[in-house]
């Protein structure tokens, strides 16, 4: 079927989408008016929509398609497992070989403190499971007052009923009665907005002091855990100074609170090493994973915990009594088989090494755009990065929301054949697949610069910039 022949079908799908399909994190009535961008195929780093328009994916789907689209060995792993054992429950002591081998593999490649794995269907579920396990842990060790959780401003920990409260982004709270009274935040370690962006140690010390102050305010006997992302993703790709994660780990240990690292975005080579924790030798009490675990090919996540946490929960329950947490699709054998093949591609297939090799090209491309009139900041680590757009580089002032600069960037980039994340506060997020080549980056930055130039040419934007 040619694209012209497919257009009536696309029109029909458009109408059905507007009428029935609820889209995540979207303005529902606005979506009904504009309709969807219907994607029909993908290969490598390229997406194709229903009209035949090709898009260079500079965001790996949603921070997740780390090995690129169309990896035949991943497809084959899913197909083989579906033929052999398409489903196996993890309840009632049932298990499957892919789930067992995946748990073992994750223990091998994650920080040494993590010895036990609960397999989920995504990042939000992984965070929700972590919270439930932490509550169970403190009850088991006789510290039932420890029910308060601390996270970072601009942090993102999913959109479950609990995780969305740990998330510190207003859109996830409005109308949902969040955050909960037990959920609290300390300032984000944002160098660009710091008094002295170059003084990394001062930024680290401020975060440590803020955590200590918040724990003192709540009472150490009441605080269960501190959640953080090594690099804040949906909050605008905020990259703390090196040493920040380790300092926060040490502070949490001294304060007698559990330290939870959310590597849903940063895991599996996204920041360079297999996990961002590896760069600073950090060993958390719990870790949440998803996205790159299966490269987005099928849903899966994981919550990993230390033996200290696991043993306390296991021994705290009456003998023979189940720990009441589970899900129908936990440890799904097809997802586990896909994850094992994706992990093989990272290590034996050279994907992780390629991501590390091209990271400097990515960084250079972003930094060169600092010369653009719209760009105030470039920040990155590994293949995770952002550009922050400002109306005044000296004052770092943003743009009036009425200008809808993010919407203009998204629409213009689509026309120019590139997709990335245009955050609501004028930050552009990038997470290219770890399979990108030098020539892929040439095309990416050519299209990105054209998008910036096209938006700059809009009279309203030029006026705002002069202001």
């Amino acid at each position: 079927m040619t694209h012209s022949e497919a257009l009536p079908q696309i029109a029909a799908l458009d109408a059905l989408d507007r009428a029935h399909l609820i889209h995540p994190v979207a303005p529902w009535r606005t979506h009904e008016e504009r309709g969807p961008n219907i994607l029909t195929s993908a290969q490598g780093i390229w997406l194709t929509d229903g009209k035949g328009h090709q898009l260079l994916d500079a965001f790996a789907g949603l921070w997740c398609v780390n090995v690129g689209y169309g990896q035949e060995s991943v497809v084959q792993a899913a197909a083989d497992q579906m033929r052999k054992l398409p489903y196996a429950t993890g309840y009632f002591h049932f298990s499957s070989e892919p789930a067992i081998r995946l748990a073992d593999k994750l223990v091998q490649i994650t920080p040494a403190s993590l010895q036990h794995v609960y397999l989920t269907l995504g990042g939000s579920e992984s965070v929700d499971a972590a919270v439930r396990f932490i509550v169970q842990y403190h009850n088991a060790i006789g510290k039932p007052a420890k029910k308060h959780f601390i996270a970072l401003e601009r942090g993102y920990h999913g959109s479950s009923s609990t995780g969305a409260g740990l998330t510190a982004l207003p859109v996830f709270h409005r109308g949902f009665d969040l955050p909960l009274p037990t959920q609290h935040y300390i300032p984000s370690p944002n160098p660009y907005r710091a008094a002295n962006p170059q003084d990394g140690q001062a930024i680290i010390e401020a975060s440590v002091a803020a955590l200590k102050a918040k724990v003192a305010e709540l009472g150490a006997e009441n605080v269960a855990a501190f959640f953080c992302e090594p690099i804040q993703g949906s909050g605008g790709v905020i990259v703390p100074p090196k040493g920040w994660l380790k300092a926060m780990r040490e502070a949490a240990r001294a304060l007698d609170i559990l330290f939870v690292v959310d590597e849903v975005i940063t895991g599996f080579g996204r920041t360079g090493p297999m996990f961002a924790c590896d760069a600073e030798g950090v060993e958390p009490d719990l870790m949440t994973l998803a996205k790159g675990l299966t490269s987005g090919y099928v849903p899966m996540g994981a919550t990993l915990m230390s033996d200290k946490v696991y043993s306390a929960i296991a021994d705290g329950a009456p003998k023979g009594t189940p720990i009441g947490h589970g899900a129908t699709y936990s440890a799904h054998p097809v997802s586990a088989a896909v994850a094992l093949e994706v992990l093989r591609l990272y290590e034996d297939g050279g994907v992780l090494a390629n991501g590390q090799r091209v990271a400097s090209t990515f960084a250079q491309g972003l930094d060169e755009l600092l010369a653009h009139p719209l760009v105030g900041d470039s920040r990155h680590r590994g293949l995770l990065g952002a550009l922050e757009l400002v109306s005044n580089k000296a004052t770092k002032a943003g743009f009036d929301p009425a200008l809808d600069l993010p919407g203009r960037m998204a629409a213009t980039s689509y026309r120019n054949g590139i997709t990335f994340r245009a955050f609501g506060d004028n930050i552009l997020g990038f997470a290219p697949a770890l399979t990108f080549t030098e020539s892929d980056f040439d095309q990416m930055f050519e299209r990105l610069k054209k998008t910036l130039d096209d938006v700059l040419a809009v009279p309203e934007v030029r006026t705002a910039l002069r202001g």
Side-chain angles (χ1 to χ4, degrees):
M1 181 183 294
T2 66
H3 289 302
S4 60
E5 291 172 332
L7 288 179
Q9 180 180 345
I10 294 297
L13 290 172
D14 181 285
L16 291 171
D17 182 289
R18 295 181 198 228
H20 304 300
L21 185 58
I22 298 173
H23 286 251
V25 197
W28 291 3
R29 294 301 187 195
T30 300
H31 182 77
E32 291 173 11
E33 295 169 4
R34 79 177 292 281
N37 296 322
I38 300 174
L39 300 174
T40 56
S41 63
Q43 185 65 37
I45 64 166
W46 295 96
L47 301 166
T48 303
D49 72 11
K51 297 179 181 178
H53 183 54
Q54 285 202 313
L55 296 156
L56 187 154
D57 185 357
F59 203 63
L62 196 67
W63 329 82
C64 57
V65 189
N66 291 358
V67 302
Y69 299 96
Q71 291 279 6
E72 185 56 35
S73 66
V74 179
V75 175
Q76 191 62 49
D80 289 347
Q81 186 59 44
M82 281 187 171
R83 292 188 185 98
K84 183 177 182 181
L85 181 68
Y87 174 78
T89 180
Y91 282 55
F92 321 122
H93 308 289
F94 283 104
S95 195
S96 70
E97 181 177 351
I100 294 167
R101 294 199 181 281
L102 179 59
D104 177 62
K105 182 64 175 178
L106 288 175
V107 168
Q108 291 178 35
I109 65 175
T110 54
S113 58
L114 304 170
Q115 292 295 312
H116 304 274
V117 182
Y118 174 75
L119 294 170
T120 73
L121 273 186
S124 290
E125 188 189 344
S126 296
V127 169
D128 193 68
V131 171
R132 284 174 58 78
F133 291 142
I134 289 167
V135 169
Q136 181 85 203
Y137 166 78
H138 285 300
N139 287 336
I141 65 173
K143 296 183 178 180
K146 279 183 168 284
K147 294 293 188 291
H148 289 258
F149 292 81
I150 301 171
L152 291 173
E153 294 174 0
R154 301 181 70 89
Y156 182 78
H157 300 288
S159 58
S160 68
S161 296
T162 299
L166 292 173
T167 291
L169 300 171
V171 70
F172 291 91
H173 296 170
R174 186 192 56 76
F176 292 109
D177 295 344
L178 293 171
L180 300 173
T182 54
Q183 295 173 328
H184 314 271
Y185 315 112
I186 61 174
S188 168
N190 187 349
Y192 183 57
R193 297 292 171 179
N196 183 355
Q198 306 305 318
D199 192 346
Q201 189 57 39
I203 295 168
I204 292 171
E205 290 173 0
S207 280
V208 170
L211 181 60
K212 290 180 178 178
K214 182 60 70 174
V215 171
E217 173 192 333
L218 298 170
E221 71 280 7
N222 299 317
V223 179
F226 173 61
F227 273 74
C228 67
E229 302 161 89
I231 294 174
Q232 293 183 266
S234 294
V237 190
I238 295 168
V239 184
K242 290 184 178 179
W244 178 87
L245 192 66
K246 187 170 186 178
M248 298 305 283
R249 171 62 182 112
E250 292 172 353
R253 182 182 285 115
L255 292 164
D256 190 30
I257 61 177
L258 294 176
F259 187 68
V260 188
V261 177
D262 185 334
E263 290 229 31
V264 168
I265 289 174
T266 57
F268 305 103
R270 174 54 57 195
T271 67
M274 183 65 83
F275 300 100
C277 280
D278 297 341
E280 297 182 19
V282 168
E283 297 190 6
D285 297 300
L286 295 97
M287 177 188 281
T288 56
L289 301 172
K291 296 194 184 292
L293 175 59
T294 61
S295 196
Y297 278 53
V298 292
M300 178 161 260
T303 305
L304 287 83
M305 65 179 73
S306 67
D307 193 61
K308 177 183 79 170
V309 174
Y310 174 87
S311 294
I313 295 173
D315 296 336
K319 187 174 182 180
T321 302
I323 306 301
H325 184 81
T328 299
Y329 301 112
S330 174
H332 196 286
V334 177
S335 295
V338 167
L340 286 167
E341 175 56 21
V342 168
L343 291 173
R344 189 194 69 79
L345 289 176
Y346 286 137
E347 296 180 329
D348 300 337
V351 171
L352 188 72
N354 184 77
Q356 294 168 346
R357 184 167 55 250
V358 299
S360 59
T361 302
F362 176 61
Q364 181 181 343
L366 289 177
D367 289 346
E368 287 176 351
L369 288 169
L370 282 167
H372 196 277
L374 288 173
V375 178
D377 188 38
S378 164
R379 44 189 184 255
H380 41 76
R381 186 172 297 165
L383 292 183
L384 182 60
L387 298 174
E388 185 158 348
L389 310 184
V390 294
S391 61
N392 186 312
K393 295 196 181 194
T395 65
K396 303 179 183 178
F399 290 86
D400 186 336
L403 186 63
D404 189 20
L405 192 65
R408 293 174 187 270
M409 289 296 306
T412 305
S413 65
Y414 197 95
R415 288 195 301 270
N416 288 334
I418 181 172
T419 180
F420 48 80
R421 183 76 174 270
F423 294 103
D425 48 5
N426 308 311
I427 297 169
L428 310 181
F430 305 93
L434 275 62
T435 56
F436 258 59
T437 65
E438 302 286 344
S439 62
D440 292 335
F441 279 117
D442 289 342
Q443 293 189 74
M444 171 184 159
F445 286 113
E446 179 183 349
R447 293 173 188 227
L448 175 56
K449 185 177 185 304
K450 184 178 187 321
T451 297
L452 289 166
D453 289 343
D454 289 351
V455 171
L456 179 62
V458 175
E460 298 91 334
V461 176
R462 279 200 172 276
T463 298
L465 192 64
R466 286 199 299 269

